[in-house]
Amino acid sequence: MLNRILTLALMLSVVICCIFVFTEDPPELEQTGPLPILMYHDVTDGPTSDNPMVVTTEKLEGDLCWLKENGYHTILPQELTAGEPLPEKPVMITFDDGYVSNYRLLFPLLQKYQMKAAICLIVSLTDKDPEGHGHLTWDMCREMQASGLVEIASHTYALHNLEQNGDYFAKGVNGIQRKTGESSWQFQMRVLTDLKKSRDILQRELGTAPQLFAYPYGETEPDAEAYLRRLFPMTVITGKGEIGTLEGRYHLPRISVCQETQLGDRLL
């Protein structure tokens, strides 16, 4: 048993070292300025949901039209991390968790208006839902990403409090946070292994390494920061209505959009 533990520890150390040695830094940004990042979750084509984070297709389409009418241009994480010149008034649209509604309801609207969005998967839920009953399938992800309108990103493999239906745990650990009394070895095996697994599966299934990591609940963890920055060129958190800037790529705040949110109150 001890030999097995030592072997696993050695393997994990080698993996971590390889990431730090062989991962190239992304190019420097040449632009500065505001970058609003919008955070959505689920979409419904029925009546308004009791869950305020579920928006109707009517609300979503209205938001896309408002952005166009007010001169905003949607961008993807890969455009930012590549250092490409960005359009005037860039905005990034993100969807968390990877609900199947992102394919059935969001994707047709993106096609209709030729706008772009990043979808941040809880990778284990896509891995375990091959029929697309509640979450995206890999075939759906591949189709959307091939369109050039969607980029698939990571929201961890399975660190989103799935044992609590994904709910925020006010008195406990959320997302990638370190548990009280957790050793460095335990933290590496529980959290760092999960983060790398999410990236590796996305790269295997979609053919490209994900550029974006979205922190569950916006909760950061100092003990994971250096590792995350080597795995993902860009990270986003949940802000309180702040608008980030193009001066960096990490801990960029997002504006949470629910059914009652008026973009005009947040962006103008």
Side-chain angles (χ1 to χ4, degrees):
M1 181 65 180
L2 179 59
N3 287 338
R4 177 177 172 79
I5 292 175
L6 291 174
T7 300
L8 289 172
L10 179 60
M11 290 173 62
L12 181 61
S13 297
V14 170
V15 167
I16 292 174
C17 288
C18 287
I19 289 173
F20 277 83
V21 171
F22 295 112
T23 303
E24 296 182 359
D25 292 327
E28 293 295 325
L29 295 174
E30 296 183 359
Q31 294 175 244
T32 59
L35 176 61
I37 304 178
L38 306 179
M39 178 182 67
Y40 295 83
H41 289 79
D42 206 355
V43 189
T44 179
D45 56 358
T48 304
S49 170
D50 291 334
N51 183 346
M53 302 310 296
V54 180
V55 301
T56 63
T57 51
E58 181 180 11
K59 157 67 176 171
L60 179 57
E61 184 165 15
D63 285 354
L64 296 180
C65 288
W66 186 92
L67 290 170
K68 269 192 173 293
E69 290 168 359
N70 285 276
Y72 285 94
H73 299 87
T74 53
I75 65 169
L76 294 174
Q78 62 191 13
E79 297 172 69
L80 184 62
T81 60
E84 297 178 7
L86 300 179
E88 186 178 357
K89 294 186 74 172
V91 63
M92 189 176 294
I93 299 174
T94 64
F95 277 75
D96 280 3
D97 303 339
Y99 295 105
V100 72
S101 66
N102 294 175
Y103 176 79
R104 295 176 178 165
L105 302 175
L106 165 66
F107 188 40
L109 290 177
L110 296 178
Q111 293 172 308
K112 178 178 179 179
Y113 293 100
Q114 287 298 290
M115 299 178 76
K116 305 172 185 178
I119 299 175
C120 308
L121 300 185
I122 301 174
V123 177
S124 63
L125 297 182
T126 291
D127 245 4
K128 297 172 182 178
D129 192 4
E131 302 300 323
H133 295 300
H135 293 82
L136 295 169
T137 68
W138 290 118
D139 282 343
M140 292 174 183
C141 291
R142 282 187 279 268
E143 179 185 344
M144 289 191 292
Q145 188 150 291
S147 74
L149 301 177
V150 173
E151 183 173 337
I152 304 299
S154 172
H155 202 34
T156 76
Y157 182 78
L159 289 178
H160 205 292
N161 294 7
L162 299 181
E163 70 281 0
Q164 302 173 62
N165 296 319
D167 294 334
Y168 183 82
F169 188 25
K171 297 182 180 180
V173 173
N174 293 283
I176 69 167
Q177 288 182 316
R178 189 170 191 151
K179 295 179 179 178
T180 301
E182 189 172 41
S183 70
S184 295
W185 162 249
Q186 290 170 327
F187 179 75
Q188 288 175 1
M189 290 302 296
R190 184 179 65 85
V191 174
L192 303 190
T193 300
D194 179 286
L195 297 176
K196 184 176 185 301
K197 186 175 183 179
S198 78
R199 189 199 68 165
D200 289 351
I201 291 175
L202 286 168
Q203 185 165 12
R204 182 192 72 207
E205 295 290 344
L206 303 175
T208 57
Q211 298 295 295
L212 172 66
F213 176 77
Y215 287 90
Y217 319 102
E219 297 289 354
T220 61
E221 171 53 58
D223 291 337
E225 282 307 305
Y227 191 71
L228 268 170
R229 290 185 181 217
R230 286 298 177 179
L231 285 175
F232 304 99
M234 178 180 175
T235 64
V236 290
I237 59 175
T238 306
K240 298 180 179 179
E242 304 99 329
I243 295 177
T245 70
L246 291 170
E247 296 172 354
R249 299 189 189 88
Y250 296 103
H251 290 189
L252 295 177
R254 293 189 289 174
I255 298 171
S256 181
V257 181
C258 62
Q259 182 64 24
E260 302 305 319
T261 302
Q262 299 297 317
L263 293 187
D265 295 338
R266 300 295 183 91
L267 301 186
L268 292 181

